[in-house]
Amino acid sequence: MKFVNGSACAMAIGVVAVAACDGGRSGYSGIGAYRVGKTTLKDAPGRCEPTDLPDGRKGTWCFMQPPVGVAGRPADVDLYFLGTEPSAPVIEIQLQVRGCDEEAVKSWLRTNFGAPFEDTPRWAAWRNKHVYVIGELPSEPGRCLVRLLPRSEQAEFDRLKAQAAAKR
């Protein structure tokens, strides 16, 4: 009986570990508790306010979220949702990495999302089956901005890439 219970616990732990990693490097869909395709407005513990998204759609901006770790540094989290209802899906996970070491963040992104498909001295872009990722390295002195968007947000990703490329 003890063996059966122990096996059940080990099996449950294994299932949780596999679900948490979301399928490896090509399958990451977010960071920490924030996942594209899973996180909805009702999951955001911080403060949220309605906003107009850059393309004119109505959305919700949530800030003061619990920070996450990126490359050993704390990152402030802002979330953007498509709509204002509790079931609204996350359409951008924005991370402001404090005390940013650009090379360490780029290495962390490579480890988690693979080689970037575009790489410049100031920004790089990744994609996998779930998300687009753009990293502005640095976005300002001592800070790096990393944004994760679902693959359905191609137009916004293209806008963010053009915006990053225009910065000198």
Side-chain angles (χ1 to χ4, degrees):
M1 189 72 162
K2 270 190 169 192
F3 177 74
V4 171
N5 287 341
S7 295
C9 286
M11 184 180 294
I13 290 169
V15 168
V16 169
V18 169
C21 73
D22 250 350
R25 184 180 359 189
S26 67
Y28 281 130
S29 61
I31 180 170
Y34 312 112
R35 303 274 177 210
V36 166
K38 294 180 182 167
T39 302
T40 60
L41 183 54
K42 72 178 177 333
D43 302 319
R47 183 165 178 193
C48 299
E49 296 181 2
T51 190
D52 291 328
L53 300 172
D55 62 4
R57 296 179 293 175
K58 298 295 182 192
T60 304
W61 167 46
C62 296
F63 52 100
M64 297 175 59
Q65 305 302 309
V68 297
V70 173
R73 304 296 308 158
D76 297 325
V77 179
D78 284 357
L79 304 171
Y80 291 85
F81 295 89
L82 182 57
T84 57
E85 63 283 344
S87 62
V90 68
I91 57 168
E92 183 177 339
I93 302 167
Q94 190 178 103
L95 310 169
Q96 284 278 350
V97 183
R98 291 180 266 152
C100 181
D101 173 342
E102 295 91 12
E103 289 306 313
V105 171
K106 191 177 267 191
S107 176
W108 183 89
L109 287 164
R110 284 179 187 273
T111 298
N112 289 289
F113 295 99
F117 71 91
E118 289 188 52
D119 196 354
T120 75
R122 293 202 28 98
W123 63 273
W126 291 259
R127 65 179 164 228
N128 67 22
K129 65 183 179 179
H130 299 289
V131 294
Y132 290 111
V133 179
I134 187 163
E136 293 182 41
L137 312 162
S139 59
E140 57 186 68
R143 294 180 79 83
C144 292
L145 178 62
V146 177
R147 294 173 161 168
L148 291 84
L149 298 95
R151 291 293 298 259
S152 61
E153 293 294 315
Q154 171 79 50
E156 180 63 6
F157 179 68
D158 290 342
R159 187 187 74 76
L160 292 173
K161 280 193 330 178
Q163 181 180 340
K167 289 182 182 176
R168 304 260 178 217

